[in-house]
Amino acid sequence: MNSIDKNKNTFALTTPLYYVNDLPHIGSAYTTIAADVIARFERQRGKSVLLITGTDEHGQKIERTAAARGLEPQAHCDEIAAGFQTLWQKLDIQYDRFIRTTAPTHEAIVKEFFQRVWESGDIYLSQQKGWYCVSCEEFKEERELLEGRRCSLHPNKEVEWRDEQNYFFRLSKYQSQLEELYQTRPDFIGPSSRRNEVLSFVSQGLQDFSISRLNVEWGFPMPIDPSQTIYVWFDALLGYVTALLDPDTEPTLENALSKWWPINLHLIGKDILRFHAVYWPAMLMSAGVPIPDRVFGHGFLTMNGQKMSKSIGNIIDPVALVNRYGADAVRYYFMKEIEFGRDGDFNEKERFIPILNADLANDLGNLLNRTLSMARRYCGDKVPPISGKDIPPDNPLKAIGSDLGSRVAQAYENLAFSNATEAVLTLIRSGNKYIDEQAPWKLYKQGNQQAVEQVLYAVLESVRLAAYLLSPIIPNISNDIYQQLGFDTNFNDKTQINVSAAFIIHANWGILPNSQTLGEPRPVFGRLELPETGSA
Ligand code: MSP
C-alpha cells in the first residue's frame, strides 16, 4: 500500500465527474469552486497542480434523459457537457483536464482495468435481485427506502425492481484490507464524521456488487460478455485515471498512472462517499493500483433552509447567480459562509447580500479605498518610503499579520475555507479599527509625517496580505487590489503565479515595496442590492 509523500511537488485533485442528466446545479458549482480554491493555493505554493473535472455520461439515467428529449445520447451529452464548461469559465475555474467518460481513450482504460480485475479472479456471474434507483444509479436496501418505495435522495421517483444475471465484483474479499487502510491512514476519509459513517458501514460486512447491466445500451460493452454493459459507476470512477493521460499519448494504464498518480485529493459530496471510500479503493486493490491520498465528502446545500429540489422549485441556477453577482461574490459566499464538510444554506436576502456587502464592500473595499486616497495625498502617490522592518513588532497589524500566512495555509490544507477567510477578516477588521484610532489625517495636520507613513504603510500592507491570502477565493478582487497597490500581478495567470507572487514571499507581512507607485483608487466591490424579481 502506498504511503503519502508530503514532499511530492505535484498535486492532483478531482471534482466528481458530473452526470449530464441536466445542466449544472449549485451543488456541482460548490464542489468545483472548492477544488479550484485548493488548486490555486497549491500553485501559489509552487506545486505543479492538475485539477481534474469532467462529466459522467453513460448509464440508464442519461440514456433515458436523452430519449425523453428525442436526442441521440451522444448529442445530448455534448450539449450538456458544453454547459458545464461554460459555467466553469464564468466561475473562473482553472481546470487542467476535463474528462468526458464517452471519450474513446476512456474505453481503452476501462477495458485494461477490467482485464486486471478479471485476472485477479474478482469478477463472477450471479443473479442480481433488488430495488434500483436510476437517479442514484445504485441498488438500495429495502430498509433504506421511504414510504412508497422511494429513494431518500430522490423522493419524487420510485425505485425499480431488477432481477437479472449480472457480473459481480468481489468487494467482500477486500473487507480486511479496507479496514486496514482506514486504520493505517486515518486521514484517508474526511471529515471525521464521514469517516465514522464509512467505518460503521464497512463493519456491517461488505457485500459484492454488480458491475454490469442488461438492457442498458448506453455504456461500454463488457469485454468478456458484450451482451452486458459495464455499470456506470465502474466506468465513471476510472475517468479519474483516463483524465491523467497526456494528450496524444497511447491510452494505457501505465501511461495514465506514470506522473500524477496517486491522486492527492478526491473532493466529493457526502452522497457519493461509499463509492469513493469503499468501492473505489477495493477496485484499485484488485487491479494492483495504489490508493489515492484523501477523499473528502462535503455537505449538502439547502435553499432558505429547505432541501433543493426541482419539484419544490427552489433550485438555484448557478449561471443566473454568477451573471447577477459575478464569480468572486459567488465563490466568496460559499467558501466563507459554509463550514466545508457540513450542510449549509443559501439565503440571498438574509445572508448572501449582507455578507458580501459587509465583508467585501465595507470592510475590505472601503479600507483600501480610504487608505489609498490618504497615501496618495500624504505620500505623493507612493507607498510610504519605509519597510515592514521599520514597524515595531507590537504594532497591532504587524502582530496579527506576521503569522497569518501560516495559519491561513494550515486552514486551506485542512479544507477549512471558512476558517481561512475568518482569519483574514480579523486582520481587515483590525485595520479599520487601527486607522480610526490612529487618525492619520490628524497626524498629518500635526506635521507628524513619520507616524502618518507608519500607519498608512501598516494598513496598506495588511490589505495587500489579505488580498493575497484570499486570492484563491476571490482572484479578481485580489487582482484589483494588487493593481491599486502598484503590482502587475495577475492571479489568474496559472503558469506564472508561483513566480510573480509566490506564497513563500507574498504570504508574509511587510513585503510591500516602499515607494512603489500607487494606482488610482476605485471600488473593488460594488455594493449589492436585492433584485426586485426575488431570488436567483
Ligand atoms: N456522476 C456521479 C459522480 C461520479 S464521480 C466518478 C454523480 N454526479 S452528480 O452530478 O449527481 O453529483 C455530483 C456532485 O454534486 C456530488 O458530489 C453531489 O454530492 C453533489 N451535489 C448534488 N446535490 C447537492 C447539493 N444540494 N448540495 C451540495 N452538493 C450536492 O454523483
Side-chain angles (χ1 to χ4, degrees):
M1 204 169 294
N2 60 307
S3 61
I4 302 171
D5 179 0
K6 296 243 181 227
N7 300 320
K8 223 169 63 168
N9 205 38
T10 55
F11 194 90
L13 75 166
T14 67
T15 72
L17 307 184
Y18 301 108
Y19 282 131
V20 289
N21 59 312
D22 210 339
L23 287 167
H25 56 72
I26 200 71
S28 359
Y30 181 52
T31 330
T32 313
I33 291 170
D36 183 62
V37 170
I38 294 297
R40 286 173 180 264
F41 164 69
E42 292 292 355
R43 280 192 207 105
Q44 288 180 351
R45 292 215 297 186
K47 294 227 169 157
S48 220
V49 172
L50 197 78
L51 170 54
I52 296 164
T53 188
T55 41
D56 180 357
E57 306 189 352
H58 286 136
Q60 193 153 35
K61 169 156 72 170
I62 308 303
E63 191 174 69
R64 286 186 183 173
T65 314
R69 295 182 69 209
L71 290 177
E72 283 302 313
Q74 192 64 60
H76 163 80
C77 294
D78 291 350
E79 186 186 319
I80 306 285
F84 275 88
Q85 288 173 329
T86 307
L87 177 63
W88 302 155
Q89 215 170 359
K90 279 179 182 286
L91 278 168
D92 291 313
I93 306 295
Q94 297 186 321
Y95 58 82
D96 300 285
R97 298 283 161 84
F98 190 98
I99 173 70
R100 297 183 55 187
T101 57
T102 51
T105 46
H106 185 54
E107 181 163 12
I109 294 293
V110 172
K111 274 191 175 155
E112 192 184 339
F113 190 93
F114 180 91
Q115 191 59 30
R116 284 209 198 173
V117 176
W118 173 251
E119 281 164 14
S120 297
D122 288 341
I123 295 175
Y124 65 94
L125 193 61
S126 184
Q127 196 68 20
Q128 168 77 70
K129 280 189 192 176
W131 296 107
Y132 194 68
C133 171
V134 175
S135 297
C136 291
E137 293 281 14
E138 187 181 13
F139 279 97
K140 302 281 170 177
E141 297 291 331
E142 182 108 40
R143 62 183 148 77
E144 290 178 290
L145 299 176
L146 306 176
E147 284 235 338
R149 297 227 166 80
R150 288 163 194 279
C151 151
S152 60
L153 293 170
H154 302 97
N156 53 342
K157 303 234 172 72
E158 273 181 39
V159 292
E160 299 173 19
W161 180 250
R162 295 287 150 81
D163 183 356
E164 60 186 42
Q165 274 225 318
N166 287 154
Y167 289 89
F168 279 69
F169 172 69
R170 246 181 252 285
L171 180 66
S172 55
K173 178 174 150 189
Y174 294 94
Q175 173 93 25
S176 57
Q177 263 174 274
L178 286 170
E179 283 171 338
E180 193 195 328
L181 166 74
Y182 309 141
Q183 291 314 322
T184 52
R185 293 193 13 207
D187 293 339
F188 175 61
I189 305 166
S192 56
S193 55
R194 303 263 184 270
R195 177 170 183 268
N196 293 338
E197 277 168 33
V198 171
L199 294 186
S200 136
F201 169 73
V202 173
S203 71
Q204 291 162 29
L206 291 172
Q207 312 266 321
D208 297 347
F209 67 97
S210 58
I211 55 164
S212 73
R213 295 289 181 268
L214 273 177
N215 308 318
V216 177
E217 295 282 301
W218 186 235
F220 298 131
M222 194 107 212
I224 50 163
D225 178 353
S227 71
Q228 302 241 1
T229 301
I230 292 187
Y231 172 42
V232 59
W233 267 101
F234 190 91
D235 155 350
L237 287 161
L238 286 164
Y240 297 141
V241 175
T242 308
L244 301 175
L245 285 168
D246 283 329
D248 305 324
T249 46
E250 208 194 328
T252 62
L253 277 178
E254 194 188 350
N255 284 341
L257 300 172
S258 65
K259 175 164 182 201
W260 298 94
W261 197 266
I263 299 283
N264 299 83
L265 175 64
H266 287 305
L267 277 186
I268 54 166
K270 62 181 181 181
D271 55 327
I272 54 174
L273 188 62
R274 223 175 260 183
F275 290 101
H276 286 79
V278 184
Y279 297 5
W280 181 222
M283 284 164 59
L284 292 166
M285 285 169 183
S286 170
V289 175
I291 311 301
D293 289 351
R294 201 167 167 211
V295 174
F296 191 95
H298 65 67
F300 259 45
L301 302 177
T302 51
M303 164 84 152
N304 303 334
Q306 267 191 316
K307 183 177 176 349
M308 275 185 242
S309 103
K310 276 200 179 157
S311 44
I312 304 175
N314 63 347
I315 300 273
I316 307 167
D317 173 7
V319 175
L321 199 64
V322 71
N323 282 347
R324 185 175 298 156
Y325 298 113
D328 283 13
V330 176
R331 294 168 66 105
Y332 184 82
Y333 178 82
F334 287 113
M335 294 296 98
K336 152 94 195 297
E337 261 310 281
I338 297 159
E339 190 185 323
F340 203 63
R342 288 177 178 260
D343 292 349
D345 195 42
F346 177 84
N347 183 314
E348 193 171 14
K349 190 166 156 192
E350 279 156 35
R351 293 177 71 194
F352 186 83
I353 291 188
I355 281 159
L356 291 162
N357 282 342
D359 295 0
L360 300 182
N362 295 351
D363 288 349
L364 180 63
N366 283 350
L367 181 61
L368 172 69
N369 206 272
R370 61 189 181 134
T371 317
L372 199 62
S373 305
M374 284 189 263
R376 287 168 63 93
R377 213 169 316 131
Y378 307 148
C379 308
D381 288 349
K382 298 215 185 308
V383 172
I386 54 173
S387 82
K389 287 200 291 300
D390 303 327
I391 305 218
D394 62 353
N395 174 291
L397 301 187
K398 186 170 183 172
I400 299 172
S402 53
D403 70 340
L404 187 65
S406 56
R407 283 188 287 129
V408 169
Q410 190 67 59
Y412 280 131
E413 273 176 27
N414 295 338
L415 310 178
F417 304 106
S418 49
N419 292 353
T421 317
E422 273 304 336
V424 176
L425 280 176
T426 311
L427 177 66
I428 297 169
R429 290 185 187 131
S430 306
N432 278 303
K433 184 162 169 268
Y434 176 74
I435 205 158
D436 289 342
E437 283 168 2
Q438 297 295 317
W441 52 94
K442 282 194 196 146
L443 297 169
Y444 184 72
K445 273 198 195 132
Q446 292 158 4
N448 193 348
Q449 182 67 15
Q450 200 190 354
V452 169
E453 287 171 359
Q454 286 219 354
V455 172
L456 294 182
Y457 184 93
V459 178
L460 288 175
E461 171 57 354
S462 299
V463 176
R464 181 207 62 76
L465 180 60
Y468 183 77
L469 296 174
L470 291 178
S471 65
I473 301 176
I474 47 169
N476 303 300
I477 293 176
S478 298
N479 270 346
D480 222 357
I481 295 176
Y482 256 58
Q483 274 158 25
Q484 293 184 47
L485 292 172
F487 293 94
D488 61 2
T489 306
N490 178 2
F491 288 103
N492 287 319
D493 182 352
K494 69 175 177 181
T495 59
Q496 270 292 313
I497 199 66
N498 62 334
V499 179
S500 60
F503 194 88
I504 195 163
I505 296 175
H506 282 242
N508 296 304
W509 195 94
I511 66 116
L512 183 62
N514 77 36
S515 305
Q516 176 159 285
T517 303
L518 295 167
E520 283 284 331
R522 52 176 195 278
V524 293
F525 188 82
R527 278 191 73 77
L528 303 177
E529 304 292 338
L530 190 68
E532 280 172 13
T533 48
S535 52

